[in-house]
Amino acid sequence: MSIKIVGTGSTLPEKCVTNEDLTKLVDTSDEWIRERTGIGSRHVSTGETVDELAASACEKALADAGKSASEVELLLVATCSPECGIPGVACQVQSRLGASNAVAFDLNAACAGFLFALNTAWAYVEAGIYRNALIAGAEVLSKIVDWSDRGTCILFGDGAGAVYVEKCDRDGMLGFVQHADGSRGEVLRCDSRALKNPYADVSMKSPYVQMDGREVFAFAVRQVPAGIQEVLDKAGTEADDIDLFVLHQANYRIIEGIAKRLKQDISKFPVNLDRVGNMSSAAIPVLLDELNRAGRLKRGMKLVLSGFGAGLTWGACVLKW
Ligand code: COA
């Protein structure tokens, strides 16, 4: 038994911020950003919240699948930038959608979050616990980015993507792998709250994203192709048989490096980071939705999805569309 994706959706905040716009905030240039990252612009919230964006993407995924919210049994939201500690974003989305029959909870694996949520849904369905799931990756990273730090503020964007999946007897997801290495967590970190109570007053490092860009880059180019090879072996297939590699959209040079290591043509690696930047857990489902709506995903195509990021976390799955 497996799961297949039968509907996709995505929503971005209205405001688009170009590299040129960022030159008014920090000492940078369009040329530097494009050359080092491939990013040209990104969408930034002017008030849209994570749950609002996630709910909107979920509504579109349900409409694409021809399903109603009341049919959803499992509702997962992958995010590392919720507005609230409690309640979870998934419960807020459940309320917005009226998905009253679903169990709803969040999952945080940073940029690998959507992929980990998809794999979690598969495990629940395979165990016979639920028959379908609505899974969103949603972020408003602009509130955890230091807009005076040119090393990070140029990279990230806000948005949400979602998929509706249901049980299938054959094809669908063919294999997945997931990894985490908490010992390297310091290379990409963002503190949330300081410990302050009547008995303690401990200051935190920074409420904004802190990153060692070179370390993250090296990790991604080394670890991600190894994870993809591992999942290809597990699924009994080869890179040459894969039609599209839908990767986390962090940096075009990372994607090029991964393509090179897998000895695959770069044309098999669709990108949208030039328009949306790095949206963490929203990156893969937004790109999937764009590909789906552009008619680039045909039934029977073999895809690899792969997410990687803070934690460190990384993983991949192979699926037949
Ligand atoms: N504009 C202009 N110059 C910049 C800049 C910017 N936005 N950001 C950094 N620089 C400068 C640095 O200060 C440094 O200057 P110096 O040599 O005078 O000290 C120089 O550019 C090189 O900086 P460096 O950090 O070594 O650049 P880089 O080639 O490693 O590129 C990243 C930086 C962040 C683009 C790159 O490391 C990267 O993309 N890493 C992965 C990050 C990522 O994807 N994170 C999310 C993972 S999910």
Side-chain angles (χ1 to χ4, degrees):
M1 196 189 297
S2 188
I3 54 168
K4 65 177 178 206
I5 297 174
V6 291
T8 65
S10 62
T11 298
L12 303 176
E14 255 173 53
K15 184 162 183 63
C16 179
V17 174
T18 64
N19 291 346
E20 205 52 49
D21 294 331
L22 293 182
T23 64
K24 296 176 188 105
L25 300 179
V26 289
D27 182 12
T28 189
S29 68
D30 178 51
E31 191 190 4
W32 193 96
I33 302 171
R34 280 185 195 274
E35 222 168 70
R36 304 285 177 123
T37 70
I39 298 167
S41 59
R42 72 288 291 145
H43 289 255
V44 174
S45 170
T46 54
E48 297 96 336
T49 58
V50 174
D51 63 296
E52 189 181 342
L53 293 169
S56 169
C58 283
E59 269 172 7
K60 293 173 189 172
L62 283 174
D64 188 37
K67 301 288 175 185
S68 66
S70 61
E71 291 174 78
V72 178
E73 296 186 1
L74 174 64
L75 202 172
L76 299 177
V77 176
T79 185
C80 60
S81 56
E83 267 81 31
C84 313
I86 44 175
V89 178
C91 289
Q92 295 174 312
V93 172
Q94 177 197 31
S95 167
R96 281 182 181 270
L97 297 177
S100 49
N101 297 315
V103 65
F105 61 93
D106 293 356
L107 193 152
N108 178 0
C111 303
F114 172 78
L115 196 93
F116 281 24
L118 187 64
N119 294 341
T120 301
W122 183 11
Y124 270 113
V125 171
E126 197 157 71
I129 299 170
Y130 303 115
R131 289 167 298 180
N132 65 52
L134 185 58
I135 306 153
E139 305 288 0
V140 176
L141 297 170
S142 58
K143 63 177 178 276
I144 60 168
V145 160
D146 176 355
W147 288 89
S148 66
D149 174 14
R150 67 177 181 173
T152 52
C153 77
I154 56 148
L155 297 173
F156 299 102
D158 301 335
V163 298
Y164 178 84
V165 301
E166 62 188 17
K167 184 173 101 171
C168 66
D169 292 328
R170 59 186 189 90
D171 296 338
M173 300 265 287
L174 305 176
F176 73 81
V177 295
Q178 299 180 140
H179 293 287
D181 179 2
S183 72
R184 289 194 282 166
E186 291 301 315
V187 302
L188 186 47
R189 177 187 171 115
C190 177
D191 289 5
S192 57
R193 282 197 175 208
L195 174 65
K196 200 168 166 56
N197 64 33
Y199 315 102
D201 189 351
V202 182
S203 61
M204 60 180 166
K205 278 191 181 164
S206 166
Y208 300 111
V209 173
Q210 306 282 300
M211 182 181 73
D212 181 335
R214 286 188 177 191
E215 279 293 320
V216 176
F217 194 100
F219 144 73
V221 175
R222 202 177 320 117
Q223 224 79 71
V224 177
I228 291 176
Q229 192 52 58
E230 189 186 344
V231 79
L232 289 170
D233 293 344
K234 216 170 161 178
T237 188
E238 292 174 14
D240 288 349
D241 294 331
I242 300 300
D243 295 290
L244 290 176
F245 293 84
V246 181
L247 304 190
H248 173 51
Q249 302 284 295
N251 181 316
Y252 188 66
R253 289 190 297 135
I254 291 178
I255 294 173
E256 277 183 323
I258 294 169
K260 204 168 159 196
R261 287 205 179 204
L262 291 170
K263 299 190 174 65
Q264 294 299 302
D265 196 275
I266 192 72
S267 63
K268 288 169 88 173
F269 293 73
V271 288
N272 65 358
L273 63 82
D274 51 321
R275 291 178 287 107
V276 298
N278 178 347
M279 298 186 293
S280 190
S281 67
I284 292 175
V286 169
L287 180 55
L288 257 187
D289 182 50
E290 289 182 3
L291 293 168
N292 188 24
R293 282 170 202 274
R296 286 189 62 191
L297 303 179
K298 312 277 182 222
R299 284 289 158 205
M301 272 174 108
K302 265 191 193 170
L303 310 185
V304 162
L305 313 185
S306 181
F308 51 89
L312 299 173
T313 53
W314 66 103
C317 73
V318 180
L319 60 90
K320 210 166 190 180
W321 189 256

